[in-house]
């Protein structure tokens, strides 16, 4: 999965400052996913560059942030769908983490990366092909 690290890493760093944690979904399929998930979150249009204040404010909204591999925002507050993987999920990891695993498993044929940021600032990167 080829991303523009210079564009997406500042977004991850800003999101890590969230008080309550958040989830970022970077996918090459963001335009189509924003249509498919249109009833499961809020569409956003960003004109110009995102700054730390905006990223922090958007991350306060419960649900995932949907972005493309270049860091362009498509949706916020997204409730991700997915199928349970054959091994199940680790219930001790929490709803955000397990939602990401189920989404990633269901979309394992697509190029994507999920970053789950916990309340304490730690983060996990998920792509089911590498779990």
């Amino acid at each position: 999965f080829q991303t523009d690290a210079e564009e997406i890493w500042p977004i991850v760093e800003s999101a890590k400052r969230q008080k309550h944690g958040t989830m970022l979904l970077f996918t090459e399929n963001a335009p189509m996913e924003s249509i498919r998930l249109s009833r499961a979150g809020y569409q956003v249009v960003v004109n110009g560059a995102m700054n730390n204040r905006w990223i922090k404010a958007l991350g306060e909204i419960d649900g995932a942030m949907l972005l493309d591999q270049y860091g362009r925002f498509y949706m916020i507050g997204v409730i991700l769908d997915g199928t349970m993987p054959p091994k199940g999920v680790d219930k001790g990891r929490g709803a955000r983490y397990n939602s990401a695993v189920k989404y990633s498993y269901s979309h394992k044929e697509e190029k994507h990366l999920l970053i789950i940021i916990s309340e304490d600032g730690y983060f996990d990167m998920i792509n089911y092909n590498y779990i």
Side-chain angles (χ1 to χ4, degrees), residues 88-104:
V89 294
D90 181 355
K91 293 178 182 163
R93 292 300 306 266
R96 191 179 289 136
Y97 179 89
N98 287 309
S99 175
V101 169
K102 289 192 286 187
Y103 179 90
S104 187

Side-chain angles (χ1 to χ4, degrees), residues 2-57:
Q2 194 70 18
T3 63
D4 187 340
E6 289 182 21
E7 294 295 324
I8 70 167
W9 194 250
I11 295 168
V12 174
E13 285 293 325
S14 293
K16 282 174 52 178
R17 296 183 188 100
Q18 294 299 331
K19 292 179 189 174
H20 306 291
T22 192
M23 183 173 8
L24 304 167
L25 167 58
F26 295 95
T27 176
E28 290 183 337
N29 201 27
M32 293 306 293
E33 278 296 83
S34 69
I35 293 167
R36 187 182 73 79
L37 295 169
S38 64
R39 294 183 183 205
Y42 305 98
Q43 303 280 335
V44 293
V45 176
V46 177
N47 294 319
M50 292 294 290
N51 62 36
N52 289 341
R53 192 177 110 225
W54 280 106
I55 294 167
K56 186 175 181 221

